[in-house]
Amino acid sequence: MTRWFGSALLKDRVALVTGGGTGICRGIAHALARAGCDVAITSRKQEHLDPTVEELRDLGVRAHGVAGDVRDHAAVDAVVAQSVEALGRLDILVNGAAGNFVCEAEKLSPNGFGTVIDIDLKGTFNVSRAALPHLKARGGAILNISATLQLLGTAGQAHAAAAKAGVDSLTRTLAVEWGPYGIRVNGLAPGPVEGTEGVRRLTNDASQKAILTQCPLGRLATIDEVASAAVFLCSDASSFVTGTTLVIDGGLWLRSARVLGGE
């Protein structure tokens, strides 16, 4: 990460990363810290946060972890308030909390569909809305973690694809509405990322082989590659970029809508 961005790129700034205790968003939290940013992270379970908070502090920045459920707007308000109280301000918001599982639409329950919508789409709105008064104070950046499922016709992913399509639309709308406040709003859409829970749960040996065959770059993304793109979109290096969702998948989505399901 540090080979691309210096340790002072985000110095004196504060970020809040939802879902920041594990997976891709843990990697983004690390990358922001390496760029000099103080970082607050949140997740539903405190035990997912505590080890990452210590790792961030070891990188020489201030860090804070507070548990909360992005589906609960009152809990979200408390998370944002406690993060700002602990770290003094808020300049960057990364909306990364997400839920997913494989299920064909005809077998998908209303509750299963609604749960993913609540976490991914409503959660993104809830946290963005709670963060707005703090971001308006100085301007800042919001980064919404999306996916490539909604760009295709991915079998078994009606719920997640619908949620992420909503997130992409919300990104564009908030970019227009909140741009006059000096707030940039962008999205980041990773494809399959090696070593993540998503790849373990959503793919099998056959579909992983198909991914490697279909991807023009012939491999999966790494967490560091996704995190580097996140730092770019959260920093002044992208100061005139807003309302866009950057796809990080090695060109995979251009080749096939079928490989994630192993068809």
Side-chain angles (χ1 to χ4, degrees), residues 87-114:
L87 298 179
R89 57 190 283 175
L90 183 62
D91 305 283
I92 296 165
L93 169 63
V94 179
N95 284 305
N100 198 4
F101 52 91
V102 176
C103 186
E104 294 178 355
E106 66 178 301
K107 300 175 183 177
L108 182 61
S109 71
N111 183 65
F113 185 89

Side-chain angles (χ1 to χ4, degrees), residues 148-154 161 252-254 256-260:
T148 56
L149 305 169
Q150 72 281 8
L151 305 177
L152 313 170
T154 309
L252 177 63
W253 82 275
L254 300 172
S256 176
R258 301 168 66 85
V259 294
L260 290 180

Side-chain angles (χ1 to χ4, degrees), residues 24-155:
I24 291 171
C25 289
R26 172 181 171 274
I28 291 173
H30 274 243
L32 293 170
R34 290 192 184 99
C37 191
D38 296 326
V39 183
I41 58 175
T42 186
S43 178
R44 281 184 292 171
K45 297 181 179 180
Q46 190 68 37
E47 58 263 33
H48 290 165
L49 300 173
D50 293 339
T52 302
V53 167
E54 291 306 312
E55 293 165 0
L56 296 171
R57 289 172 178 166
D58 288 343
L59 293 172
V61 302
R62 295 182 301 153
H64 180 70
V66 54
D69 190 335
V70 298
R71 295 173 292 182
D72 181 344
H73 63 84
V76 166
D77 289 345
V79 165
V80 172
Q82 290 178 42
S83 298
V84 171
E85 181 179 4
L87 298 179
R89 57 190 283 175
L90 183 62
D91 305 283
I92 296 165
L93 169 63
V94 179
N95 284 305
N100 198 4
F101 52 91
V102 176
C103 186
E104 294 178 355
E106 66 178 301
K107 300 175 183 177
L108 182 61
S109 71
N111 183 65
F113 185 89
T115 295
V116 174
I117 296 292
D118 286 347
I119 297 171
D120 290 36
L121 179 54
K122 290 184 180 179
T124 295
F125 174 76
N126 288 341
V127 186
S128 298
R129 181 178 179 276
L132 178 61
H134 304 284
L135 294 173
K136 284 173 69 174
R138 303 176 182 83
I142 296 175
L143 181 63
N144 297 326
I145 305 304
S146 185
T148 56
L149 305 169
Q150 72 281 8
L151 305 177
L152 313 170
T154 309

Side-chain angles (χ1 to χ4, degrees), residues 1 4-6 9-10 13-18 20 23-37 39 91-96 140-146 184-190 193 221-239 241 244-249:
M1 178 59 217
W4 302 117
F5 299 107
L9 183 65
L10 295 174
R13 298 189 193 181
V14 173
L16 170 62
V17 182
T18 72
I24 291 171
C25 289
R26 172 181 171 274
I28 291 173
H30 274 243
L32 293 170
R34 290 192 184 99
C37 191
V39 183
D91 305 283
I92 296 165
L93 169 63
V94 179
N95 284 305
I142 296 175
L143 181 63
N144 297 326
I145 305 304
S146 185
R184 297 184 301 106
V185 186
N186 288 296
L188 190 61
V193 179
T222 68
I223 289 177
D224 279 350
E225 287 171 329
V226 176
S228 292
V231 171
F232 166 70
L233 290 172
C234 290
S235 75
D236 290 342
S238 62
S239 59
V241 178
T244 191
T245 296
L246 177 64
V247 176
I248 308 289
D249 78 337

